[in-house]
């Protein structure tokens, strides 16, 4: 299901707490039988220098972002085998997996958390079917003059309790200029600090941010190969 956290105001914190209660907790989403999708193929390995951890990219389970895929996006990238992608309908307030019997109430709560800085949640790729608790989320924005670094800094600034943010530039495997951030996030609800990372690119159809969270730092680190796969294969649609 869609899992969001509060922004920078007390009101958003209350909304986040209510949303966790309504939707049944953090990080436990619907779905998938955990089987490796047909046609999954290995990718070349890469050193995750940007995250400070040497990881090989995950095996690919298919490409996301093109017409006909689970989420149509301004970019395409490979999704790790076993991970399950689902579009987020910001207009409806929730992805299909998150709608409860009181969909209207849930939608009102989630709508407040669907936007972060200059971007809106568009797609989430759930790691649970592959054995981890966390998501790779895709956020998209409107076309404009903002560069990738500015978009990413606004995205991070819209979060509470972020420390040790470190930014650097790199190029995706598809040749796009990108800016990446690694940081620590302190969860008020769970009272613990964990690693998170994200990167941003700009496209003719607007900026795109890919964010990797996780239930905790251990889960985050376990999911880095899927994140590295996205970095290696991301290109304009």
């Amino acid at each position: 299901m869609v899992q969001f956290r509060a922004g920078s105001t007390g009101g958003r914190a209350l909304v986040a707490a209510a949303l966790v209660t309504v939707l049944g907790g953090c990080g436990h989403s619907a779905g998938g039988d955990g089987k490796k999708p047909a046609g999954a193929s290995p990718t070349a390995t890469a050193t995750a220098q940007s995250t400070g951890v040497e990881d090989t990219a995950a095996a690919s389970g298919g490409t996301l972002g093109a017409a006909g895929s689970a989420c149509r996006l301004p970019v395409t990238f490979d999704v790790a085998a076993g991970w399950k992608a689902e579009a987020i309908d910001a207009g409806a307030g929730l992805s299909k997996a998150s709608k409860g019997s009181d969909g209207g109430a849930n939608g009102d709560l989630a709508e407040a958390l669907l936007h972060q800085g200059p971007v809106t949640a568009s797609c989430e790729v759930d790691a649970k079917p592959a054995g981890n608790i966390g998501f790779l989320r895709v956020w998209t924005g409107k076309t404009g003059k903002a560069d990738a670094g500015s978009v990413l800094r606004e995205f991070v600034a819209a979060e509470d309790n972020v420390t040790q943010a470190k930014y650097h530039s790199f190029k995706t495997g598809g040749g796009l200029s990108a800016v990446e951030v690694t940081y620590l996030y302190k969860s008020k609800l769970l009272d613990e600090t964990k690693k998170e990372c994200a990167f941003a690119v700009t496209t003719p159809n607007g900026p795109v941010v890919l964010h990797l969270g996780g239930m905790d730092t251990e889960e985050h680190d376990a999911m880095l190969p899927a994140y590295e796969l996205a970095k290696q294969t991301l290109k304009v649609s």
Side-chain angles (χ1 to χ4, degrees), residues 14-183:
L14 293 174
V15 171
L19 184 59
V20 168
T21 301
V22 170
L23 299 184
C26 296
H28 297 281
S29 77
D33 56 11
K35 296 180 180 179
K36 186 174 180 178
S41 59
T43 62
T45 61
T47 300
Q49 296 176 348
S50 55
T51 57
V53 179
E54 289 189 0
D55 286 309
T56 56
S60 174
T63 301
L64 184 66
S69 66
C71 304
R72 186 164 188 176
L73 303 166
V75 295
T76 63
F77 61 90
D78 282 10
V79 174
W83 289 48
K84 182 180 179 181
E86 184 171 10
I88 298 172
D89 185 351
L94 292 168
S95 70
K96 293 178 182 178
S98 304
K99 292 181 180 177
S101 58
D102 57 343
N106 285 356
D108 290 343
L109 290 170
E111 176 60 26
L113 301 174
L114 286 167
H115 308 282
Q116 186 164 320
V119 289
T120 299
S122 297
C123 184
E124 66 178 13
V125 192
D126 187 359
K128 188 177 179 183
N132 293 106
I133 300 176
F135 297 90
L136 179 64
R137 287 206 175 85
V138 186
W139 302 70
T140 57
K142 297 180 180 179
T143 56
K145 296 182 179 180
D147 58 70
S150 297
V151 168
L152 190 59
R153 289 177 184 277
E154 288 185 54
F155 178 82
V156 173
E159 291 198 72
D160 270 341
N161 304 316
V162 170
T163 59
Q164 299 183 34
K166 298 178 181 179
Y167 295 85
H168 77 279
S169 300
F170 72 99
K171 280 193 178 291
T172 70
L176 290 180
S177 296
V179 177
E180 182 175 43
V181 62
T182 59
Y183 58 91

